[in-house]
Amino acid sequence: MTIKLYGIKNCDTVKKARKWLEQHAIDYQFIDHRIDGLDPLELQDWLARLGWEQLVNKRGTSYRALSDEDKATLGPDTAAALLTATPAMIKRPLLVHDDRLQLGFNAADYARFFNQ
């Protein structure tokens, strides 16, 4: 199965993840949410497996720009539409390999993920 890394190319954390993968000679496909968009079925899978609370990046500027009403109504029923409309709000990077997900970047976590 192809290793996929989802994120936004100008995100510093995504850059660190990409650099780590390249330094460890791990081939991957990079999918930029802003350029390539989101697959609705993949998004539903991530939401089901990770939960909207983990998938939504509440530290980012996109989340902070939401109105108080939008923040208050954010939940399992509204997260998919919001993340589809504003993919920059997805916590990143998201690494997908062999039906496993790794959210965020930490070198030690990536080493464990790839058994290195």
Side-chain angles (χ1 to χ4, degrees):
M1 178 179 225
T2 303
I3 298 169
K4 295 181 179 181
L5 184 72
Y6 295 85
I8 296 170
K9 69 179 176 183
N10 63 346
C11 171
D12 289 338
T13 308
V14 170
K15 288 178 185 177
K16 290 176 189 176
R18 294 182 78 179
K19 183 177 179 181
W20 190 95
L21 291 168
E22 290 160 8
Q23 287 175 338
H24 290 83
I26 297 172
D27 291 328
Y28 66 95
Q29 176 186 2
F30 178 65
I31 296 97
D32 188 313
H33 295 308
R34 286 187 179 151
I35 296 169
D36 303 316
L38 291 171
D39 179 324
L41 295 176
E42 285 180 324
L43 179 58
Q44 286 299 327
D45 179 57
W46 302 340
L47 287 165
R49 293 172 60 194
L50 296 171
W52 71 270
E53 300 93 341
Q54 283 194 2
L55 203 55
V56 173
N57 180 8
K58 293 184 179 179
R59 292 181 171 181
T61 56
S62 298
Y63 178 82
R64 291 192 305 251
L66 290 177
S67 69
D68 289 338
E69 181 181 342
D70 285 341
K71 290 177 187 175
T73 59
L74 181 59
D77 297 330
T78 59
L82 180 64
L83 294 175
T84 299
T86 315
M89 204 174 304
I90 296 174
K91 195 177 288 183
R92 54 195 180 263
L94 175 60
L95 184 65
V96 179
H97 178 55
D98 289 341
D99 202 36
R100 295 180 299 143
L101 304 176
Q102 175 69 41
L103 191 57
F105 173 73
N106 175 289
D109 290 342
Y110 268 44
R112 278 190 295 279
F113 189 86
F114 290 106
N115 296 316
Q116 293 195 2

